[in-house]
Amino acid sequence: MADELFQQADLAMAQSHYTSVAYIAQSIIEKFTSILRKVDRAEELRKQINHSFKFLQQLLEKPLPPDFLEQLWGYFKQEFTRITYRINEVVPQFYRLQRVLAEKLNKEEELLELLTDFSLQMQYSDEIYTRLLINRIGLLEKLGKEEEISSIVKNNLRNPQLLLFVIRQTLKKRDWKQAKFLTQKGIEQFDAKRTLAPLEEIMIRIAEEEND
């Protein structure tokens, strides 16, 4: 059934029937996500969900009218908050599309508010929660909200993935003092080799930069 729907979506895309493409993709995402944990072929369904998101990504590359973009924004904003997408770890896919739409519609502040609302963070896996925090930091950097970034980092120093991301961003800015401080914090509190190894490499790089 999904293959037939994808063929219809391909044809609709070729004929510039963008509303039909969105409807097909959204229908598959909604239906298949809701049953992911109830069937044995979850991996197959997840591939079809991912393929549907690719159709929505392609849509955003088309010259869509503002009212259609607003409709898509409303849809993504509504679905982003649904528990079923959080449980099934589909939220990041919605976020990627929202980020594109936010830039097109100048809604980055509104997107930031969505990312700030982690009242149901227990529904996220650690990996997804970290990815969303990293995305939030990226958006804050674009908006020039350095104090909010510092607050997130301070409250999440024990998150190795987040700390490594922030350190690497700091290195890009050539802020060796801050990078060194954060790296030392990481070395002091983490003992897993997979975390310590990149931190130790970073310390060597900082030492080389400071000696230049």
Side-chain angles (χ1 to χ4, degrees):
M1 179 180 175
D3 289 340
E4 293 179 6
L5 289 173
F6 288 143
Q7 289 176 7
Q8 293 176 25
D10 278 324
L11 180 60
M13 187 77 79
Q15 296 176 341
S16 300
H17 295 164
Y18 299 139
T19 303
S20 297
V21 176
Y23 177 78
I24 292 170
Q26 290 166 0
S27 297
I28 292 173
I29 291 167
E30 292 170 19
K31 181 177 181 180
F32 287 3
T33 302
S34 67
I35 62 173
L36 264 178
R37 294 173 177 259
K38 303 175 184 178
V39 297
D40 295 329
R41 54 194 185 96
E43 185 175 347
E44 177 186 345
L45 292 185
R46 192 171 288 279
K47 288 180 180 178
Q48 292 169 340
I49 291 169
N50 292 340
H51 194 56
S52 298
F53 274 106
K54 288 180 181 178
F55 273 110
L56 294 177
Q57 180 67 50
Q58 291 172 26
L59 270 184
L60 297 184
E61 296 169 1
K62 303 296 182 181
L64 303 177
D67 59 336
F68 189 28
L69 290 174
E70 288 285 354
Q71 289 175 23
L72 289 174
W73 173 263
Y75 171 77
F76 294 147
K77 182 178 177 181
Q78 173 183 304
E79 300 303 293
F80 185 83
T81 61
R82 287 180 57 188
I83 296 297
T84 184
Y85 295 123
R86 296 185 179 216
I87 292 174
N88 289 293
E89 302 187 345
V90 178
V91 167
Q93 304 233 51
F94 279 108
Y95 171 77
R96 279 194 290 271
L97 298 178
Q98 282 179 293
R99 183 70 184 267
V100 175
L101 270 175
E103 292 179 2
K104 290 178 177 290
L105 296 171
N106 295 318
K107 290 181 179 288
E108 287 163 323
E109 290 282 358
E110 189 174 340
L111 178 57
L112 182 59
E113 290 179 12
L114 284 174
L115 286 174
T116 304
D117 179 18
F118 286 116
S119 59
L120 295 176
Q121 70 183 64
M122 70 288 294
Q123 298 292 345
Y124 294 116
S125 67
D126 289 343
E127 180 182 356
I128 296 299
Y129 181 61
T130 299
R131 285 168 61 187
L132 289 173
L133 276 180
I134 288 173
N135 285 324
R136 184 179 165 197
I137 288 173
L139 190 55
L140 286 167
E141 284 183 334
K142 185 170 183 181
L143 295 172
K145 297 180 180 289
E146 296 296 331
E147 288 187 11
E148 292 185 41
I149 294 173
S150 297
S151 177
I152 293 174
V153 174
K154 182 179 179 181
N155 293 329
N156 292 275
L157 283 174
R158 298 197 64 80
N159 184 321
Q161 284 183 290
L162 183 68
L163 185 61
L164 279 169
F165 170 79
V166 172
I167 290 171
R168 286 168 178 148
Q169 292 297 100
T170 306
L171 290 173
K172 288 180 183 178
K173 300 175 184 176
R174 303 184 68 80
D175 186 347
W176 311 121
K177 182 178 179 181
Q178 178 68 357
K180 185 175 182 178
F181 169 78
L182 293 173
T183 304
Q184 287 175 331
K185 281 286 186 183
I187 292 174
E188 289 170 6
Q189 62 190 2
F190 300 125
D191 52 22
K193 187 175 180 180
R194 67 177 180 275
T195 303
L196 278 177
L199 289 172
E200 289 169 348
E201 290 177 5
I202 289 171
M203 281 299 287
I204 292 172
R205 177 184 170 187
I206 293 172
E208 291 172 347
E209 293 289 346
E210 288 181 332
N211 289 330
D212 284 346

